Amino acid sequence: MIYSFVLVAHSWLRWAVLLLGLATLVRSAQGWAQRRPWTATDRKLSAAFVGSLDTQLLLGLLLYVALSPLRPTSMAALKAAMPIAALRFFAVEHIFAMLVAVAVVHIASSRAKRAADPTARHRRMALGVLFALLLVLASIPWPFLPYGRPLFRLP
C-alpha cells in the first residue's frame, strides 16, 4: 500500500516540479534580459522549485532504495538489468540524471545567492534551471517511450 501511495505522489509531483521549473526559468530569463532586480518573488519561486525537486528526489530515493520491485537488490541484479532497456532506465539512467539535475539546481541556487549583481543572479539561476529541466525532461518515463509510464498515475 505504501508503495502505491509513494509511486502516485512521485508521479503527480513531477508536474509541480515541471511547472515551478518552467516558471523559475521564465522569470529568471526575463530578469536576466531586462536587468531587473532580484526580488522576494524570485527568491520564493526558486526556493519552491528547489524544494519541489528535493521532495521529488526523496520520494524517488524511497522507491529506489526500499519500495520498488524494479530496484536492483545486488550488483548481480544490476548487471543483469543492463541489457534490458526498461530495467536499465529505472535502475541507472533515471536515477543518475535526476541526481545530476538536483545537484545542478542546488549549485545554481547557491551561486545565484552569492552573486552581488542581480543580473548575474538571474543568469546563474536561468542557466542552472534550464540545464536541470532538460535533464529532468529527458529522464521522465514518458508514455511514448518503450518503458513509459502514465502521465497521471491513479491509485
Side-chain angles (χ1 to χ4, degrees):
M1 170 139 164
I2 192 162
Y3 168 68
S4 295
F5 174 78
V6 173
L7 187 61
V8 168
H10 186 67
S11 174
W12 280 80
L13 184 58
R14 92 173 102 178
W15 299 110
V17 168
L18 291 174
L19 290 174
L20 286 167
L22 184 60
T24 303
L25 176 61
V26 167
R27 187 151 174 97
S28 295
Q30 287 174 339
W32 180 14
Q34 297 169 0
R35 300 184 180 274
R36 166 173 70 66
W38 184 265
T39 65
T41 302
D42 296 315
R43 183 185 55 75
K44 290 175 185 174
L45 188 57
S46 63
F49 174 56
V50 172
S52 69
L53 199 56
D54 286 346
T55 304
Q56 185 72 327
L57 174 67
L58 288 174
L59 291 174
L61 287 174
L62 183 59
L63 288 167
Y64 187 80
V65 172
L67 301 175
S68 177
L70 295 178
R71 74 185 186 281
T73 54
S74 67
M75 286 306 286
L78 188 60
K79 185 177 178 183
M82 294 310 275
I84 304 165
L87 294 177
R88 183 182 59 245
F89 175 79
F90 288 105
V92 179
E93 296 166 8
H94 179 70
I95 186 81
F96 179 76
M98 295 303 185
L99 285 169
V100 171
V102 170
V104 165
V105 166
H106 276 275
I107 291 167
S109 178
S110 175
R111 292 189 70 223
K113 287 176 188 174
R114 290 195 309 263
D117 176 39
T119 303
R121 279 187 173 189
H122 286 296
R123 182 184 70 244
R124 290 174 182 181
M125 201 65 200
L127 293 174
V129 171
L130 175 63
F131 185 59
L133 277 177
L134 290 174
L135 282 169
V136 167
L137 287 169
S139 302
I140 289 175
W142 298 107
F144 56 82
L145 296 172
Y147 42 79
R149 297 294 185 261
L151 289 176
F152 298 97
R153 188 178 292 273
L154 300 174

